[in-house]
Amino acid sequence: MRTTMLNLRTGGDEVVLDLTRQCKSFVSGLGDGLLHVFVPHATAGLAIIETGAGSDDDLLAALADLLPADDRWRHRHGTRGHGRSHVMPAVVPPYATVPVDGGRLALGTWQSICLVDLNVDNADRSVRLDFLEG
């Protein structure tokens, strides 16, 4: 198994951050296997979606509808509605696994691996990449 950590700053806004380039670079030349991507945070997740054509903004809008940033949440530290960030990983999981064929991600044409972060109180994020040789 080969492992690396990505250290990222997501800023003070909700974000869908495309990690595909970093993931491609990590598996380049490694052969066949699986890339497992994991976010060791209680308030972030990973999605495999199309980006750049509005789908990333659509995902944030859908999460805002599903998990409103209001005072309904029992988990109440940080900014208003922060508790929803702790519920989000049940909807957008903190992991994704992608096949790797000949050192290349076996993603579909429009698929990207993205970090989803609604937590505007913590801009520092880590993402763990593990390559499991097949």
Side-chain angles (χ1 to χ4, degrees):
M1 183 168 72
R2 182 175 171 191
T3 301
T4 194
M5 292 293 286
L6 304 176
N7 296 305
L8 309 163
R9 284 198 59 78
T10 56
D13 295 318
E14 297 176 1
V15 66
V16 175
L17 182 65
D18 192 341
L19 305 175
T20 310
R21 181 182 50 81
Q22 293 99 316
C23 292
K24 283 181 179 179
S25 177
F26 176 67
V27 301
S28 179
L30 292 181
D32 296 338
L34 296 172
L35 172 66
H36 186 73
V37 186
F38 179 72
V39 180
H41 298 284
T43 59
L46 291 160
I48 298 178
I49 63 168
E50 177 182 7
T51 60
S55 296
D56 36 354
D57 291 331
D58 289 341
L59 175 57
L60 291 176
L63 289 171
D65 288 344
L66 183 63
L67 305 169
D70 59 21
D71 293 327
R72 74 182 68 204
W73 309 102
R74 290 182 185 97
H75 188 109
R76 291 185 182 237
H77 70 85
T79 58
R80 184 173 188 256
H82 175 75
R84 77 190 192 117
S85 296
H86 289 272
V87 174
M88 191 209 53
V91 177
V92 180
Y95 56 85
T97 303
V98 177
V100 178
D101 294 327
R104 298 181 59 161
L105 296 173
L107 291 169
T109 302
W110 304 111
Q111 290 181 315
S112 296
I113 303 167
C114 298
L115 173 69
V116 181
D117 188 2
L118 303 181
N119 184 356
V120 299
D121 296 331
N122 181 5
D124 295 316
R125 296 295 177 181
S126 299
V127 177
R128 179 179 170 148
L129 306 179
D130 291 305
F131 176 73
L132 305 153
E133 195 167 355

